[in-house]
Amino acid sequence: MSYQYDLFVIGAGSGGVRAARMSATYGAKVAVAEDRYYGGTCVNVGCVPKKLFVYASHFPEDFETAKGFGWTIDNASFDWHKLLTNKNREIERLNGVYKRILDGAGVEIIDGHAMIVDEHTISINGENITAERILIATGGWPSVPDFPGKEYVITSNEAFFLDKFPKQIIIVGGGYIAVEFAGIFHGLGVDTTLVYRGPLFLRGFDHDLREIIADEMQKKGINIVFNNNIDRIENNNGHYKAHFTNSEVQDTDLIMYATGRTPNTKNLGLENVNVKLNKNGAVIVNEKYQTSVPSIYAIGDVTDRVNLTPVALAEGMILARYLFDKKNDAVDYSDIPTCVFSQPNMGTVGLTEEQAMEKYGDVAVYKSKFKPMKLSLTDSDERTFMKLIVDKKSDRVVGVHMVGSDAGEIIQGIAIAIKAGATKATFDSTIGIHPTAAEEFVTMRTPAEN
Ligand SMILES: Cc1cc2nc3c(=O)[nH]c(=O)nc-3n(C[C@H](O)[C@H](O)[C@H](O)COP(=O)(O)OP(=O)(O)OC[C@H]3O[C@@H](n4cnc5c(N)ncnc54)[C@H](O)[C@@H]3O)c2cc1C
């Protein structure tokens, strides 16, 4: 049986582009379909514009810091539409880069919404196309729970394109997107309330870090409300009344929900084949990213496992090698470093203290909290926090956590040491770079009482 393509990729996001490009590089005949934007969520409504907004929102604090160093900054003002225009121009540039990368590798690019017709057939723009293998790399989409007034809320998708910049915002959610956007809007001068139904946000991260981030955000003036939720929303001519479960009412210009993301498995023709989904609608795959239909594979957020761009990229790469380069290696999902671009940032790799205690029993914990040197000439009471978790038996460092400026940049480097199996003795014998915040990681000597 001959097919038009060796591989047909649905979705030109982080995972799809990497899998398509690498497969073509190994000699496969590849097509990729994209119905919205090249580069997917990360480039268009995720990591990239989010980080640009984080940079934008930190300038007011930088201006304050500058004053301590003798600078006078008068009449600083912010133009939201200018930020949007510049951000959109950069994203358009990246869209072009992604298209050119695919083109350059010899991948056929098809604009349009792809649907699976059978195990080897895709329908797109009214045409049926056949492929030996199909890759679902369709990502996810923000989900908002059902409640009266849900039609008035925005999600992160719309936050990147707001026509009217709000004076006040309520953000609902407890994940990293909610926390990051609270920092963004607050930094840009918006009166910001963050509401989460649980007792503390950022579930899954080390408990100390979660508390410190909540504390630092509150010190900056973000109104954080835990153990509460919105029951219903009333619309008064574009201004909103949020009715909370504790019977309080708050008026606001804008309400954003960051309450999770749903895998994009609807309207994909999956009912035509027997691709099995889990209860959240995510595609179930085996360790080779193969679905319950042998010719159909899935990677990235649509499988709802570790929903991060570098993970989708790694999966795309490994799958291409497996299918077209006869390689049998696998993605190593242990010790994946991540950063929450909150203000200050939170970077982390390895186990939380709670997980380490459960896994190893006997652990030593090293903690350090200090005023960063850059803020030493200012009145800022922001603190940097660092934490090392060591398995006492092997001396291996099994968790490294930080809250503070550039935590993501610092933890990325440390993650390499953790992957390499560094012990506390390795950390201790490493000479610090002085004066930096990061040197604290190699100078902590006294374990905290735990
Ligand atoms: C606000 C936000 C901030 C984030 N920040 C970070 C971060 O800082 N760091 C990080 O690592 N990750 C971050 N992420 C997560 C990251 O964006 C995702 O993990 C990553 O984009 C997943 O890649 P993917 O290839 O699985 O899917 P996507 O990048 O979502 O790509 C899927 C593509 O498929 C297309 N598509 C869907 N259905 C079809 C169809 N039927 N036909 C044709 N095309 C289709 C979509 O249009 C999309 O372009 C963030 C996400 C969000 C929402």
Side-chain angles (χ1 to χ4, degrees), residues 213-230:
I213 288 288
D215 190 40
E216 292 292 341
M217 288 172 72
Q218 273 159 334
K219 282 199 293 195
K220 288 182 196 293
I222 297 173
N223 176 30
I224 301 182
V225 183
F226 290 130
N227 294 312
N228 209 348
N229 208 344
I230 293 182

Side-chain angles (χ1 to χ4, degrees), residues 152-415:
Y152 304 128
V153 312
I154 64 157
T155 67
S156 55
N157 280 355
E158 295 75 39
F160 289 113
F161 300 93
L162 289 178
D163 246 357
K164 206 168 142 218
F165 195 63
K167 288 201 168 59
Q168 309 146 314
I169 190 167
I170 299 174
I171 298 174
V172 181
Y176 76 93
I177 295 176
V179 169
E180 290 174 338
F181 270 95
I184 289 169
F185 280 110
H186 170 74
L188 294 177
V190 181
D191 181 357
T192 303
T193 299
L194 176 61
V195 181
Y196 176 53
R197 62 183 176 185
L200 187 59
F201 53 31
L202 297 175
R203 207 150 46 89
F205 290 98
D206 186 271
H207 200 269
D208 277 340
L209 270 68
R210 297 165 67 195
E211 280 186 340
I212 288 169
I213 288 288
D215 190 40
E216 292 292 341
M217 288 172 72
Q218 273 159 334
K219 282 199 293 195
K220 288 182 196 293
I222 297 173
N223 176 30
I224 301 182
V225 183
F226 290 130
N227 294 312
N228 209 348
N229 208 344
I230 293 182
D231 253 353
R232 65 187 172 91
I233 298 170
E234 268 177 72
N235 180 358
N236 292 332
N237 293 326
H239 290 276
Y240 304 101
K241 247 184 208 327
H243 293 260
F244 289 96
T245 41
N246 70 353
S247 305
E248 278 175 21
V249 179
Q250 187 174 328
D251 291 313
T252 188
D253 292 343
L254 194 62
I255 302 176
M256 171 175 164
Y257 266 63
T259 45
R261 293 175 62 81
T262 309
N264 273 333
T265 45
K266 295 220 171 80
N267 203 15
L268 198 56
L270 293 182
E271 60 287 354
N272 300 327
V273 283
N274 192 21
V275 167
K276 292 218 162 62
L277 306 179
N278 72 14
K279 62 178 185 346
N280 301 327
V283 178
I284 299 173
V285 290
N286 65 15
E287 72 289 354
K288 295 293 179 206
Y289 307 105
Q290 195 173 35
T291 69
S292 50
V293 177
S295 59
I296 302 180
Y297 293 77
I299 56 169
D301 283 13
V302 76
T303 64
D304 196 20
R305 298 177 316 161
V306 185
N307 297 336
L308 292 170
T309 283
V311 175
L313 295 175
E315 292 178 349
M317 176 84 144
I318 288 286
L319 180 64
R321 284 156 69 113
Y322 172 67
L323 294 179
F324 302 111
D325 195 33
K326 298 193 175 68
K327 293 282 187 330
N328 209 13
D329 38 8
V331 176
D332 180 357
Y333 291 93
S334 65
D335 296 329
I336 294 173
T338 58
C339 181
V340 177
F341 294 96
S342 48
Q343 301 185 25
N345 286 184
M346 176 180 129
T348 173
V349 59
L351 303 181
T352 65
E353 184 174 343
E354 303 81 55
Q355 290 165 337
M357 293 281 283
E358 202 178 314
K359 184 163 179 193
Y360 297 105
D362 204 9
V363 296
V365 179
Y366 298 78
K367 298 183 192 184
S368 178
K369 202 172 186 184
F370 54 94
K371 183 165 182 169
M373 190 176 182
K374 189 175 176 188
L375 301 180
S376 59
L377 305 185
T378 73
D379 294 334
S380 166
D381 60 355
E382 184 180 307
R383 292 290 176 272
T384 291
F385 174 75
M386 292 178 176
K387 179 169 179 179
L388 287 180
I389 300 158
V390 179
D391 166 32
K392 278 193 183 164
K393 203 162 155 225
S394 64
D395 197 42
R396 283 266 313 270
V397 179
V398 295
V400 185
H401 309 282
M402 172 175 174
V403 171
S405 182
D406 289 330
E409 308 288 344
I410 292 170
I411 293 292
Q412 178 68 83
I414 291 189

